[in-house]
Amino acid sequence: MFCGVHFMAESADILSRPEQKVILPDLAAGCSMADMAVLAQVEEAWEVLADAGVADVTVPVTYMNSSADIKGFVGRNKGAVCTSSNAERALRWAYEQGGKVLFLPDQHLGRNTAVLQLGFALDDCVLYDPHKPGGGLTVDQLRTAKIILWRGHCSVHGRFTLDSVREVRERVPGVKLLVHPECRHDVVTAADFVGSTEFIIRTLDAAAPGSAWAVGTELNLVRRLAAQHPDKNVMFLDKTVCFCSTMNRIDLPHLVWSLESLVRGEVVNQITVDEETASYARAALDRMLALP
């Protein structure tokens, strides 16, 4: 099977059957957010939590946009994976297991879910910076926080600002703002609708003809949705064009090269995850799939 980015290829290998092989046509296709949390940093953070006396009551939850190593760490520590569609369910499940959550690697999805869907205050959230001693947090902050957010973000969704919101509202009267929960908290709170990629697609499918929509998510998706809905005014939220530079590496030449190699009997760029990591990561993925 073919995958578009490295973390999805790893997840596919973890969940695949032994006779199946996973190919990533361009090994440079990845996710900047996933790269913001590496195993050594997360293990060090867990030691910081242990020293603060809170590791035993903390449940790790990682966004799907994370490496197999991080998913394995989460599975090994009795946590779960989540998507933007089920982040609320995953967090509610986590709080049934313990009193605190370490959320990896996207701070914005974690904060937006905790505050807007679980009803937490912003002060209940603290930001762990792996590049600072102790994450830049005091022991008291770690002990009183309800959710510890990893300092990671999506390079595309993080570009949207309140200035983008104000500009499009002034320029397009009556426009509705539809954004992904990976966006900054102030952008999400200023939007009219917030949801996963699936939610964005469904919302535009159901929108009235002639309505105007500024969409805060990856530009390729916005362009496809605009083409699918010529009866609606669908636009990118920001005036500055920004593609995901890593996700867009899978192009037709790489795909053709991979297919031609298979025809010659060569399996190129196969992605494999070692069995120990895969077993723990599979446990974290299975906990997600078992969410009600």
Side-chain angles (χ1 to χ4, degrees), residues 32-63:
S32 59
M33 179 200 301
D35 294 340
M36 291 178 189
V38 298
L39 182 59
Q41 292 174 328
V42 176
E43 287 178 334
E44 181 180 342
W46 199 249
E47 292 177 3
V48 170
L49 297 185
D51 291 342
V54 297
D56 57 342
V57 296
T58 301
V59 178
V61 175
T62 188
Y63 192 21

Side-chain angles (χ1 to χ4, degrees), residues 14-81:
I14 290 165
L15 297 172
S16 65
R17 298 189 301 272
E19 70 273 14
Q20 292 178 310
K21 292 181 172 62
V22 178
I23 293 173
L24 184 63
D26 185 343
L27 293 178
C31 171
S32 59
M33 179 200 301
D35 294 340
M36 291 178 189
V38 298
L39 182 59
Q41 292 174 328
V42 176
E43 287 178 334
E44 181 180 342
W46 199 249
E47 292 177 3
V48 170
L49 297 185
D51 291 342
V54 297
D56 57 342
V57 296
T58 301
V59 178
V61 175
T62 188
Y63 192 21
M64 180 62 79
N65 298 37
S66 56
S67 69
D69 284 343
I70 299 303
K71 292 184 178 74
F73 169 88
V74 168
R76 189 165 62 249
N77 289 283
K78 300 180 173 56
V81 178

